[in-house]
Amino acid sequence: MKKFERFKALAAHVSIMNVDTDMIIPKQFLKTIKRTGLGAGLFYELRFDEKGNEIKDFILNQAPFNKAKILISGKNFGCGSSREHAPWALLDFGIKCVIAPSFADIFYNNCFKNGILPIVLDEKLVKELSELADKKKEIEIDLEDQKIHKGDNRPIDFDIDPFKKECLMKGYDDIALTLNKNQKISTFEDKKKTLTPWLYT
Amino acid sequence: MPKTLYDKIWESHLVEEQKDGTSLLYIDRHLVHEVTSPQAFEGLRINKRKVRAPKSTLAVVDHNVPTSDRSKGIKDKESAIQVEALSKNCKDFGIEFFGLTDKRQGIVHVIGPEQGFTQPGMTIVCGDSHTSTHGAFGALAFGIGTSEVEHVLATQTLIQSRAKNFKICVDGKLPEGVTAKDVILSIIGKIGTAGGTGYVIEYCGEVFRNFSMEERMTVCNMSIEGGARAGLVAPDQKTFDYIKGRPMAPQNKDWDKALAYWKTLFTEENAKFDREVYLNGNDIVPTVTWGTSPQDISPVTGKVPDPKTEKNEDRKKSMLRSLEYMGLEPNTPIQEISIDKVFIGSCTNGRIEDLRAVAKVVKGKKVNKQVSAMVVPGSGLVKIQAEKEGIDKILKEAGFDWREPGCSMCLGMNPDQLKPKERCASTSNRNFEGRQGRGGRTHLVSPVMAAAAAIEGKFVDIRKFS
């Protein structure tokens, strides 16, 4: 996984509550056996009409927001299906950070596995950032210091789980980290085989 | 300190716990399907990793499979490639696989319990959010993404943080015609679609105790629609009776040992819950969703809500968007909404008891001329059982289309989809925009409500339907 580095970029504001993962990436794009190329299907039904023509009104079809690297949206972002195709599509489109008042659990976790930073902020702060986005003002995401800089010397602080932060910062492969604990897992498994033997017959 | 059922299962699967709460959780069982696994197997190959516990893993094709005649395979090329990829991956990594023509094939959350693969006290995961279904057995079961699927395949563990405990208690007696589906829709209506985020729900009270295993599965299945990754019902005699004798259930001496352990799986008296919600079963009514979130519920006797009366601006905006998508006017009585399609099936309501209930409603009647109605059994074994009982004949005589098992129109990855603006009474779990087909309009209901709607061509109160 690529290391998450400090960056400054434009944010696109998709003003919808409960954005579900079906909306982020519809079913027809789930037939792939690859992780790549899903950007074309991101928010497909909001971006393209039934004939495949671009819907000009939708924010991600408008310059300069079609190059946005940050997405700002409503509460409970990413609810519904566990499809990791949702963060894959965001990443492929160029989105590296999503800001919302709250996220659904599975989507939130899936982001970290793909180098995307989901930031939870108070609704008022999300509104403030969305207004800046609408004015096409860039903001800067600083994961190391857990701050969002908006060019006014009043950066916004955000919380993040320290382990998840470290994995993003260093671009860890968490499977490799766990495989280093192989001995511990085997010991646990041996104990389980004695306590619940019916699970191993 | 007294423990909840969730605490007990969580603690008994902890390989390690860091000071910050980051934990390594051991996973007992892993269910795999064709859509969320190919990239995980690819990852294993690239990194030259093995599947740590192939015998703890069971794979099946369900999302992509056609529900029409399968003798000539799958017409859609991409779907066929995905199904073939799973077959090959299972062969290469030594995982048991139920393929397209296996009579045990079916929706992953139907076949797990059916085979006895799902048991109390286990940790169970699958790359599918409706894995919460298996919580009906008192197992900690939750959906994961594909990276986590790869993590479990390689290590048989997951990196997790502990969830909070949420008790939802429904006492009383459900009125005639009110089902498990109405109970869970009412719960979601009360707590909201994000109400359970960060929690594991335990369903307690008389109503769940009186439910069959299949009804408990319907409830736990939709925990995720209330934001909770997992829902639990403590195991009891009904659970044990359901599991006994199934192909993958413990046998002989193992059965006695397992049973003794399963009987320790309950929430202790005075255990602390972080949140508690109480509903009265007597007050729950047949329910229909009107919007594009499962929390958008109305009693069948109610009306489509009016956004004008909503004070919260964000909520009002969201309601307006939903009503426009659904093609509904505010204040329209629910029983005046006509439908075009009926879908009976899915991991929520595709089991034998659901099909029996539908057959009872439609026996000797005819599907309304303007409606096209389909029934998709949850698994091959459900289909065989239904045919043994003559349910297929009753349904076909009434004008229902009797299909092969799979996820089908719940998510429309196969050809079973709604056309734009088509309105569907569906026993599935999600009414999101475009879920059942672009522009399709989904109303979530119970199987008996869907059956009655098929006959009348519009929603009717099942309590008054004869």
Side-chain angles (χ1 to χ4, degrees):
Chain A
M1 198 168 77
K2 261 172 95 174
K3 288 179 187 174
F4 190 95
E5 285 165 357
R6 183 178 171 141
F7 74 101
K8 194 174 180 183
L10 196 69
H13 178 212
V14 174
S15 168
I16 305 175
M17 276 204 299
N18 300 317
V19 169
D20 57 73
T21 51
D22 274 80
M23 190 182 268
I24 299 172
I25 185 84
K27 57 183 106 356
Q28 63 268 35
F29 298 99
L30 308 190
K31 293 184 183 182
T32 177
I33 55 170
K34 301 282 169 208
R35 281 181 162 95
T36 48
L38 283 156
L42 179 72
F43 288 116
Y44 189 83
E45 289 174 11
L46 299 180
R47 272 169 68 207
F48 301 97
D49 67 15
E50 279 157 38
K51 289 176 185 151
N53 300 315
E54 267 198 8
I55 298 170
K56 298 256 173 346
D57 288 351
F58 188 61
I59 184 104
L60 294 180
N61 285 339
Q62 297 166 7
F65 298 109
N66 54 354
K67 299 266 192 302
K69 289 190 168 32
I70 303 163
L71 193 75
I72 301 176
S73 196
K75 61 182 172 191
N76 196 29
F77 188 89
C79 62
S81 159
S82 64
R83 57 187 72 168
E84 200 163 317
H85 308 68
W88 294 337
L90 287 164
L91 196 66
D92 197 51
F93 188 85
I95 305 287
K96 295 197 287 185
C97 172
V98 185
I99 300 171
S102 62
F103 290 89
D105 283 336
I106 304 178
F107 174 82
Y108 185 77
N109 275 304
N110 283 343
C111 282
F112 287 100
K113 309 285 180 189
N114 293 284
I116 297 176
L117 171 65
I119 298 179
V120 180
L121 287 182
D122 183 77
E123 272 186 80
K124 273 185 196 154
L125 295 171
V126 174
K127 191 160 182 284
E128 186 186 341
L129 290 176
S130 69
E131 283 163 3
L132 289 177
D134 293 344
K135 288 180 195 154
K136 300 178 187 169
K137 287 208 171 133
E138 292 195 336
I139 54 174
E140 187 166 19
I141 308 292
D142 179 352
L143 175 58
E144 191 171 7
D145 287 342
Q146 299 179 211
K147 286 187 193 307
I148 301 170
H149 297 279
K150 46 191 171 61
D152 61 355
N153 294 323
R154 285 191 301 118
I156 294 171
D157 296 314
F158 63 87
D159 280 332
I160 183 171
D161 171 90
F163 176 73
K164 288 192 165 87
K165 176 179 171 179
E166 195 186 353
C167 287
L168 270 188
M169 297 277 307
K170 297 188 175 156
Y172 281 149
D173 164 8
D174 61 6
I175 298 177
L177 290 182
T178 303
L179 284 172
N180 288 337
K181 296 174 182 167
N182 193 30
Q183 195 49 50
K184 229 174 179 175
I185 300 170
S186 294
T187 309
F188 182 86
E189 221 161 33
D190 290 343
K191 198 176 76 187
K192 262 203 125 238
K193 280 177 187 166
T194 327
L195 289 171
T196 55
W198 62 90
L199 295 178
Y200 300 91
T201 49
Chain B
M1 212 167 75
K3 288 175 182 167
T4 64
L5 173 56
Y6 169 67
D7 294 337
K8 286 181 181 175
I9 305 176
W10 172 265
E11 285 164 18
S12 65
H13 288 82
L14 270 182
V15 178
E16 69 165 24
E17 188 174 13
Q18 311 279 0
K19 275 186 193 142
D20 68 357
T22 305
S23 304
L24 197 61
L25 192 73
Y26 189 79
I27 301 302
D28 293 315
R29 291 289 183 264
H30 188 186
L31 287 153
V32 175
H33 67 84
E34 79 277 20
V35 177
T36 58
S37 66
Q39 296 86 351
F41 284 109
E42 184 195 33
L44 292 181
R45 282 201 181 88
I46 290 169
N47 294 293
K48 299 194 168 53
R49 288 168 181 157
K50 285 190 238 163
V51 173
R52 185 186 173 93
K55 281 190 176 165
S56 301
T57 315
L58 176 63
V60 68
V61 285
D62 59 1
H63 281 63
N64 259 310
V65 299
T67 57
S68 51
D69 179 24
R70 291 169 178 179
S71 55
K72 287 175 193 143
I74 303 178
K75 215 170 151 189
D76 182 288
K77 268 192 193 156
E78 283 183 297
S79 294
I81 289 170
Q82 222 172 35
V83 166
E84 186 44 46
L86 181 60
S87 168
K88 185 178 184 313
N89 286 331
C90 288
K91 210 172 159 191
D92 290 356
F93 289 94
I95 294 166
E96 183 160 13
F97 171 62
F98 296 172
L100 194 58
T101 52
D102 193 314
K103 68 175 182 187
R104 298 167 299 176
Q105 178 270 337
I107 307 172
V108 66
H109 310 307
V110 175
I111 67 142
E114 202 168 67
Q115 293 298 319
F117 188 76
T118 303
Q119 296 165 23
M122 285 176 163
T123 47
I124 304 174
V125 294
C126 172
D128 189 283
S129 60
H130 291 111
T131 309
S132 57
T133 311
H134 308 264
F137 291 79
L140 176 60
F142 53 91
I144 55 178
T146 298
S147 296
E148 289 180 314
V149 168
E150 189 178 336
H151 195 282
V152 175
L153 288 171
T155 70
Q156 208 56 31
T157 64
L158 270 180
I159 300 166
Q160 293 281 298
S161 313
R162 198 176 186 132
K164 289 180 281 184
N165 283 290
F166 190 168
K167 175 181 179 176
I168 295 185
C169 185
V170 187
D171 278 318
K173 198 170 176 295
L174 296 179
E176 189 71 27
V178 176
T179 69
K181 184 64 161 287
D182 303 300
V183 172
I184 186 63
L185 284 171
S186 302
I187 289 170
I188 297 162
K190 187 171 173 83
I191 68 171
T193 182
T197 304
Y199 293 94
V200 167
I201 297 173
E202 182 174 347
Y203 298 99
C204 309
E206 204 181 338
V207 163
F208 304 113
R209 293 266 72 84
N210 289 336
F211 271 165
S212 68
M213 289 313 295
E214 297 195 0
E215 290 172 306
R216 292 177 191 179
M217 283 188 248
T218 298
V219 171
C220 289
N221 172 275
M222 288 187 71
S223 301
I224 185 69
E225 264 57 68
R229 275 178 92 171
L232 293 164
V233 176
D236 59 10
Q237 195 56 44
K238 279 184 192 166
T239 320
F240 313 143
D241 292 345
Y242 180 98
I243 298 170
K244 195 162 191 180
R246 293 189 182 262
M248 297 179 183
Q251 312 284 332
N252 308 320
K253 273 187 187 165
D254 272 346
W255 173 263
D256 299 333
K257 282 185 206 160
L259 193 62
Y261 173 66
W262 295 344
K263 286 182 176 172
T264 67
L265 298 170
F266 56 86
T267 289
E268 290 162 3
E269 214 171 318
N270 300 321
K272 191 187 159 291
F273 283 90
D274 301 282
R275 190 178 172 198
E276 297 183 23
V277 162
Y278 292 81
L279 275 82
N280 186 342
N282 303 61
D283 299 338
I284 298 176
V285 294
T287 300
V288 181
T289 63
W290 53 265
T292 54
S293 167
Q295 69 185 2
D296 299 338
I297 60 160
S298 167
V300 65
T301 50
K303 289 175 180 176
V304 173
D306 191 342
K308 271 190 209 147
T309 61
E310 176 60 51
K311 288 189 184 104
N312 178 309
E313 277 306 313
D314 284 342
R315 179 77 191 127
K316 183 186 273 186
K317 211 172 113 191
S318 166
M319 284 168 83
L320 285 166
R321 182 185 172 92
S322 289
L323 291 185
E324 195 193 339
Y325 180 86
M326 293 296 288
L328 290 172
E329 290 298 324
N331 301 312
T332 307
I334 296 290
Q335 294 185 67
E336 284 178 16
I337 300 173
S338 300
I339 54 157
D340 310 302
K341 288 239 162 112
V342 168
F343 170 64
I344 291 166
S346 85
C347 56
T348 314
N349 282 127
R351 297 182 178 81
I352 191 68
E353 288 175 11
D354 299 313
L355 304 190
R356 283 180 192 141
V358 169
K360 206 172 152 195
V361 172
V362 305
K363 191 174 184 180
K365 297 189 174 74
K366 291 282 178 207
V367 169
N368 191 285
K369 277 184 199 153
Q370 62 167 15
V371 175
S372 152
M374 68 195 291
V375 180
V376 181
S379 72
L381 295 179
V382 169
K383 184 168 186 257
I384 291 169
Q385 180 61 31
E387 288 172 352
K388 213 184 269 175
E389 295 178 21
I391 289 172
D392 61 320
K393 282 201 191 73
I394 296 171
L395 296 174
K396 282 189 266 189
E397 272 164 25
F400 281 85
D401 193 2
W402 179 247
R403 316 281 291 190
E404 297 295 324
C407 298
S408 180
M409 204 195 273
C410 175
L411 85 164
M413 269 196 80
N414 73 350
D416 308 340
Q417 293 185 10
L418 293 182
K419 294 190 187 80
K421 296 186 179 174
E422 265 185 346
R423 192 178 296 285
C424 180
S426 180
T427 66
S428 57
N429 41 55
R430 289 190 175 133
N431 51 353
F432 297 156
E433 287 180 24
R435 170 79 177 180
Q436 296 192 292
R438 184 172 185 145
R441 294 161 172 170
T442 306
H443 295 270
L444 303 176
V445 286
S446 72
V448 288
M449 282 285 288
I455 305 298
E456 291 297 318
K458 62 187 181 65
F459 292 110
V460 286
D461 189 343
I462 188 67
R463 294 169 297 184
K464 293 182 180 156
F465 186 77
S466 56

